[in-house]
């Protein structure tokens, strides 16, 4: 008999809820986590300005009405310390820590057909056997750490945004470089600009950022708490796992010019990622997309004093929303400060790091601190970092041309192994807590079904998987996603196959598909 019914890997939003849910159902579940405490993303990413870009009222668990009533979010967009405090509170409230082993990384998983169970080997040499494994390893948990020539020669401090020093970093008055202008870069730049001596930003791809319009939400939250369940139900059926207004406007072509302008202006000024849903077909219709993109470009040029700098900050080469948009709080205005400079690495490539700074083009820029905000090997990185084997087959080999899953939940040939927000599920295109809850609940119900029916093994049919892979690729092909050099497509990792990593069909549609599969007795899965 295996040691455990279920081994859960990771103690972020996914792993914590998965543990709680399975314990409630009477399963013997245990979590193994690389880090020293709970929190996942919100433990690791402690850089200045780290903040959620989904509104906190939605970026939180819905499964526990009492928790929902007792927790008070202070701001519209919660900052990292508040989200981490929330997850610590959840762990405490539900007494989760006693079933978590910290400071331990799962290095390999090997499936044994004789016992229908997995053997996990960890980095401290211990092994755990479990009938089922839930990989709650995160979509953005494997950092990309590009090897700049000479990084070790630098005599100042180097900080990665994903692994910020626990005690903070002293940047006051220092000459600081930030490499990278994705979400982490944008947030860091905005937060540190007021206190550093000088700030030089190295940008490869300019970002489309919309304002957060962050604010305290005491009264809004109190009002929401009187009907929180309705809001959660709406979230589950929405496109992005968060309701973006009562009524989404019709397709772009049906709108007159005045309505288009109003729609963009209202959504932009209201703030946040609901701007992406200005039109239902914003990610499909080139004209609709161009209109929204132009609107954001114009707003950038209004905010930046120097037209040459504004131009460098203006994205022109890819559709809006085809790359993760940023939510900002004064990002563009930072470039009006005298102590801030912007370097486009397409014009001046980073040639190497020197003992004193960064050699870009022919110029050596001197720094005291270099901050690297270089992103993640998204969605597949953490899973492929584990040596997952069944017989002669490894998951890495199977996915060498791109991930292959059924519903983003399992991969054929790897029985009893579930992924939470795995590739080919809506995951990173959604409010991830909504998507996490959907997966955790579906997986838990499937395990209950197996137990009730005396079954020990579940695995997707190859045909069902092929069909889902084609569905996700075809759906992505109908969008503009492939036109951006984004991590949604694996484009940020040298050598990574280009494939649409998330399912673009929307959270509500996906939820209905999952429900349909479950009520038909797990159609597309082989149960033994
Ligand atoms: P994670 O929080 O990534 O946790 C996974 C855990 O698994 C980690 O603690 C990791 O250490 C552990 N782990 C991985 N591999 C192993 C292994 N082999 N052995 C043991 N442990 C392992 N999402 C949104 O919806 N809205 C946002 O605004 C948003 N902002 C973000 C900002 C940043 C800077 C980042 C990095 C991500 C953001 N995300 C956001 C995505 C975020 O990752 C998810 O919302 C959510 O926190 C994921 O929870 P998780 O538990 O699935 O994964």
């Amino acid at each position: 008999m295996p040691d455990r019914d279920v081994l859960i890997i990771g103690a972020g939003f996914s792993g914590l809820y998965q543990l709680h849910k399975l314990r409630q159902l009477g399963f013997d579940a245990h979590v193994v986590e690389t880090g020293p405490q709970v929190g996942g993303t919100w433990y690791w990413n402690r850089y200045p300005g780290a903040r959620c870009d989904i509104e906190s009222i939605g970026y939180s668990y819905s499964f526990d009405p009492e928790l929902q009533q007792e927790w008070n979010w202070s701001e519209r967009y919660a900052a990292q310390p508040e989200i981490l405090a929330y997850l610590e509170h959840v762990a405490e409230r539900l007494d989760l820590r006693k079933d978590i082993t910290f400071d331990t990384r799962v290095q390999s998983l090997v499936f044994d057909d004789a016992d229908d169970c997995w053997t996990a080997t960890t980095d401290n040499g211990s092994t755990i056997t479990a009938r089922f494994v839930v990989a709650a390893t995160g979509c953005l948990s494997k950092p990309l750490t590009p090897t700049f020539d000479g990084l070790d020669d630098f005599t100042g401090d180097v900080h990665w945004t994903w692994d910020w020093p626990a005690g903070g970093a002293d940047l006051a008055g220092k000459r600081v470089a930030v490499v990278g202008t994705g979400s982490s870069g944008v947030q860091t730049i905005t937060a540190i600009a007021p206190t550093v001596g000088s700030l030089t930003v190295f940008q490869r791809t300019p970002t489309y950022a919309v304002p957060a319009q962050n604010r305290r939400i005491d009264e809004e939250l109190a009002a929401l708490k009187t009907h929180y369940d309705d809001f959660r139900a709406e979230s589950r059926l929405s496109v992005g796992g968060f309701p973006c207004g009562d009524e989404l406007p019709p397709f772009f072509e049906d709108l007159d010019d005045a309505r288009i302008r109003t729609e963009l202006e209202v959504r932009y000024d209201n703030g946040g990622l609901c701007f992406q849903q200005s039109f239902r077909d914003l990610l499909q219709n080139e004209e609709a997309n161009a209109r929204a993109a132009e609107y954001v470009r114009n707003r950038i040029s209004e905010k930046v004093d120097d037209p040459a700098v504004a131009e460098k900050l203006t994205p022109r080469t890819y559709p809006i929303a085809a790359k993760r948009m940023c939510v900002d709080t004064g990002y563009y205005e930072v470039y009006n400060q005298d102590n801030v400079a912007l370097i486009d690495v397409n014009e001046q490539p980073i040639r190497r790091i020197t003992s004193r700074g960064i050699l870009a083009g022919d110029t050596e820029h001197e720094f005291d601190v270099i901050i690297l905000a270089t992103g993640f090997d998204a969605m597949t990185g953490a899973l492929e970092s584990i040596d997952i084997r069944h017989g002669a087959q490894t998951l890495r080999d199977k996915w060498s041309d791109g991930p292959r899953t059924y519903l983003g939940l399992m991969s054929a040939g790897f029985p009893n192994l579930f992924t939470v927000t795995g590739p080919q599920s809506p995951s990173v295109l959604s409010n991830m807590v909504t998507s996490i809850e959907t997966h955790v609940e579906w997986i838990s119900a499937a395990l209950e079904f197996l137990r009730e029916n005396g079954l020990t093994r579940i695995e997707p049919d190859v045909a069902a998987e092929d069909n889902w892979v084609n569905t996700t690729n075809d759906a992505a092909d109908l969008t503009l996603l492939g036109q951006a050099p984004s991590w949604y497509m694996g484009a940020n990792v040298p050598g990574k196959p280009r494939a649409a990593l998330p399912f673009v069909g929307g959270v509500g549609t996906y939820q209905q598909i999952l429900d349909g599969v479950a009520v038909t007795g797990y159609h597309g899965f082989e149960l033994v």
Side-chain angles (χ1 to χ4, degrees):
M1 282 294 287
D3 302 332
R4 304 279 181 180
D5 295 333
V6 187
L7 169 66
I8 300 161
I9 308 175
F13 265 102
S14 301
L16 293 179
Y17 181 32
Q18 187 67 80
L19 174 62
H20 171 64
K21 188 79 195 164
L22 290 175
R23 278 197 334 200
Q24 266 189 330
L25 294 172
F27 287 99
D28 173 21
H30 191 80
V31 177
V32 173
E33 163 61 52
T34 307
Q37 65 168 85
V38 300
T41 289
W42 303 103
Y43 163 73
W44 296 109
N45 293 268
R46 297 175 298 253
Y47 57 85
R51 191 178 284 283
C52 189
D53 61 15
I54 298 284
E55 294 184 40
S56 35
I57 53 170
Y59 192 77
S60 48
Y61 291 124
S62 70
F63 68 81
D64 183 337
E66 279 176 27
L67 168 69
Q68 189 165 266
Q69 287 299 325
E70 80 190 13
W71 185 264
N72 288 317
W73 295 105
S74 62
E75 292 177 282
R76 185 182 185 195
Y77 297 96
Q80 173 269 333
E82 195 170 12
I83 305 174
L84 182 58
Y86 171 75
L87 290 171
E88 285 171 336
H89 170 75
V90 171
E92 192 64 35
R93 193 177 188 283
L94 303 175
D95 195 16
L96 298 176
R97 288 192 183 89
K98 67 177 187 212
D99 288 319
I100 305 176
T101 302
F102 292 105
D103 293 312
T104 306
R105 203 180 98 74
V106 172
Q107 281 183 321
S108 70
L109 288 170
V110 178
F111 191 73
D112 175 1
D113 283 308
D115 277 344
D116 282 345
C117 82
W118 287 96
T119 299
T121 304
T122 71
D123 57 356
N124 65 25
S126 62
T127 57
I128 305 167
T129 56
R131 172 127 302 143
F132 301 98
V133 172
V134 178
T137 44
C139 292
L140 298 170
S141 55
K142 164 103 192 288
L144 261 189
T145 50
T147 45
F148 292 107
D149 280 348
L151 192 56
D152 290 341
D153 299 340
F154 183 59
T155 52
D157 295 331
V158 176
H159 300 305
W160 300 88
T161 49
W162 61 271
D163 189 21
W164 200 259
D170 178 17
L171 304 175
K174 302 238 166 102
R175 297 167 303 169
V176 178
V178 175
V179 179
T181 56
S183 284
S184 302
V186 163
Q187 291 182 338
T188 305
I189 290 161
T190 312
I192 68 174
T195 52
V196 296
S198 69
L199 174 60
T200 306
V201 175
F202 291 83
Q203 170 191 274
R204 180 172 59 186
T205 312
T207 188
Y208 290 97
V210 289
Q213 310 293 23
N214 198 20
R215 55 174 181 264
R216 286 203 64 92
I217 53 163
D218 313 58
E219 285 169 22
E220 279 168 66
L221 184 60
L224 178 72
K225 282 184 179 179
T226 62
H227 62 102
Y228 222 144
D229 289 350
D230 299 339
F231 170 84
R232 298 296 195 178
E234 213 187 322
S235 300
R236 292 261 177 138
L237 292 175
S238 66
V239 177
F242 185 91
C244 276
D246 294 340
E247 202 184 302
L248 212 58
F251 294 95
F252 179 76
E253 269 126 25
D254 298 335
L255 299 174
D256 64 34
D257 203 52
R259 178 79 200 275
I260 290 169
R261 258 183 290 123
T262 308
E263 197 58 47
L264 292 169
E265 195 157 284
V266 167
R267 284 181 186 263
Y268 186 92
D269 290 342
N270 190 37
L273 291 176
C274 284
F275 183 83
Q276 295 179 151
Q277 293 183 33
S278 299
F279 320 115
R280 260 186 242 164
D281 50 354
L282 184 137
L283 203 52
Q284 282 87 21
N285 179 326
E286 294 206 355
E287 206 188 331
N289 192 285
R291 197 59 195 265
E294 193 56 25
Y295 183 87
V296 175
R297 288 187 200 117
N298 289 338
R299 299 296 294 252
I300 296 171
S301 70
E302 286 166 17
K303 293 177 183 179
V304 182
D305 296 341
D306 180 338
V309 176
E311 184 52 31
K312 275 190 198 165
L313 287 166
T314 302
R316 295 199 184 277
T317 56
Y318 65 95
I320 191 166
K323 190 172 182 292
R324 177 79 176 187
M325 285 181 72
C326 295
V327 175
D328 84 286
T329 307
Y331 170 63
Y332 294 110
E333 291 83 344
V334 159
Y335 295 91
N336 297 333
Q337 289 182 209
D338 291 339
N339 64 338
V340 178
L342 176 66
I343 292 178
D344 179 348
V345 300
N346 301 296
E347 292 166 6
Q348 297 178 58
I350 296 180
R351 286 173 47 200
R352 57 174 292 120
I353 311 289
T354 67
S355 61
R356 288 179 302 204
I358 296 178
L359 180 64
D362 295 331
T363 310
E364 185 184 21
H365 303 265
E366 295 188 15
F367 300 112
D368 304 310
V369 182
I370 297 176
I371 298 173
L372 297 163
T374 45
F376 297 89
D377 182 352
M379 298 201 70
T380 54
L383 288 166
E384 290 183 338
S385 298
I386 304 172
D387 183 10
I388 301 176
R389 289 174 185 268
H390 178 201
Q393 193 175 32
T394 69
L395 191 75
R396 272 180 215 145
D397 284 346
K398 183 181 170 190
W399 287 9
S400 59
D401 291 330
R404 301 193 71 77
T405 76
Y406 180 39
L407 303 169
L409 278 164
M410 298 191 88
S411 190
F414 298 89
N416 295 2
L417 170 63
F418 297 91
T419 54
V420 181
T421 65
Q424 295 162 346
S425 73
S427 61
V428 292
L429 287 182
S430 67
N431 166 10
M432 287 200 60
V433 183
T434 308
S435 291
I436 285 167
E437 289 197 327
T438 296
H439 268 184
V440 165
E441 287 159 17
W442 193 95
I443 292 166
S444 304
L447 293 184
E448 217 184 353
F449 181 89
L450 293 171
R451 185 176 61 187
E452 278 168 7
N453 291 282
L455 304 168
T456 56
R457 185 164 165 146
I458 178 168
E459 183 180 353
D461 297 336
V462 173
E465 176 169 288
D466 288 348
N467 196 17
W468 184 251
V469 172
N470 291 339
T471 301
T472 55
N473 288 339
D474 290 350
D477 286 347
L478 292 173
T479 73
L480 307 173
L481 217 58
Q483 293 185 24
S486 84
W487 53 261
Y488 292 151
M489 300 293 298
N492 63 329
V493 183
K496 188 165 176 168
R498 292 283 172 110
L501 296 173
F503 170 68
V504 299
V507 165
T509 306
Y510 179 76
Q511 172 85 54
Q512 286 167 352
I513 294 169
L514 287 196
D515 290 347
V517 168
V519 296
T520 53
Y522 296 93
H523 176 79
F525 289 96
E526 283 169 23
L527 310 183
V528 182

